[in-house]
């Protein structure tokens, strides 16, 4: 059986994130903020490249974007709105949102949420949910 791993955005991962950034050859600085409740932004510099993030994990994420796209990162912007798509899946307006899906799209949606419920949340998932069942399940989960 495959080992399970869970990692979350939390302060206990900040030092690891900073270590990874440093191991890539970046120098890291903190740019202070005048607001008392906000420490400031982290800045990583390597050569002529400068990256900013409000915490070490965001900084590592920004560096990762650049490492995967290089200096013309803006030309790699996807046409799809993944952010909105994920929010729409989490907060459907009605069962009609699911009725608009093809049978394959709905089957894939059910498989995705089965994995999420069983492997991430460790909760039972209905065997063959209808579109109405899925609407009730997802709507209830995200609104509670």
């Amino acid at each position: 059986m495959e080992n399970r791993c869970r990692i979350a955005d939390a302060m206990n991962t900040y030092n690891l994130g900073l270590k990874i950034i440093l191991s890539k050859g970046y120098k890291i600085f903190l740019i202070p903020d005048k607001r008392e409740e906000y420490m400031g932004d982290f800045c990583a510099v390597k050569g002529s490249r400068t990256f900013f993030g409000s915490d070490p994990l965001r900084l590592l994420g920004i560096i990762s974007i650049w490492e995967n796209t290089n200096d013309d990162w803006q030309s790699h912007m996807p046409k799809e709105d993944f952010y909105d798509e994920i929010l729409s899946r989490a907060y459907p307006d009605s069962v009609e949102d699911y009725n608009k899906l093809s049978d394959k799209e709905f089957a894939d949606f059910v498989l995705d949420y089965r994995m999420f419920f069983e492997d991430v949340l460790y909760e039972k998932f209905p065997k063959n949910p209808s579109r109405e069942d899925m609407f009730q399940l997802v709507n209830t989960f995200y609104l509670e």
Side-chain angles (χ1 to χ4, degrees), residues 20-143:
I20 292 168
I21 295 168
L22 290 168
S23 75
K24 293 173 179 283
Y26 291 89
K27 300 294 182 189
I28 302 172
F29 304 91
L30 184 65
I31 301 172
D33 192 276
K34 293 182 187 330
R35 295 171 288 180
E36 190 173 313
E37 70 278 3
Y38 185 64
M39 184 175 21
D41 287 317
F42 288 82
C43 173
V45 179
K46 182 177 178 183
S48 61
R49 308 304 189 289
T50 306
F51 306 94
F52 300 92
S54 58
D55 65 53
L57 301 179
R58 288 182 184 201
L59 182 61
L60 181 57
I62 295 297
I63 290 169
S64 177
I65 288 173
W66 178 79
E67 288 176 343
N68 283 279
T69 60
N70 295 306
D71 291 342
D72 66 338
W73 63 271
Q74 290 177 315
S75 70
H76 293 269
M77 293 295 187
K79 291 179 177 59
E80 304 91 342
D81 188 347
F82 296 108
Y83 183 80
D84 188 51
E85 182 180 318
I86 291 168
L87 291 181
S88 294
R89 285 177 61 171
Y91 298 104
D93 293 325
S94 71
V95 71
E96 286 305 311
D97 290 345
Y98 297 155
N99 288 337
K100 293 176 188 174
L101 299 174
S102 70
D103 288 343
K104 169 134 178 42
E105 290 169 330
F106 181 71
D108 290 344
F109 178 76
V110 169
L111 284 175
D112 290 348
Y113 268 85
R114 180 180 309 284
M115 181 271 308
F116 176 62
F117 272 76
E118 293 178 353
D119 298 343
V120 177
L121 302 175
Y122 304 124
E123 292 186 16
K124 290 186 180 189
F125 192 83
K127 186 168 178 134
N128 293 310
S130 68
R131 291 168 193 252
E132 177 67 35
D133 294 337
M134 281 304 294
F135 172 73
Q136 292 302 327
L137 179 69
V138 171
N139 196 42
T140 301
F141 173 75
Y142 285 106
L143 293 179

Side-chain angles (χ1 to χ4, degrees), residues 5-14 57:
C5 176
R6 285 178 175 247
I7 186 168
D9 174 0
M11 286 187 70
N12 70 345
T13 59
Y14 282 9
L57 301 179

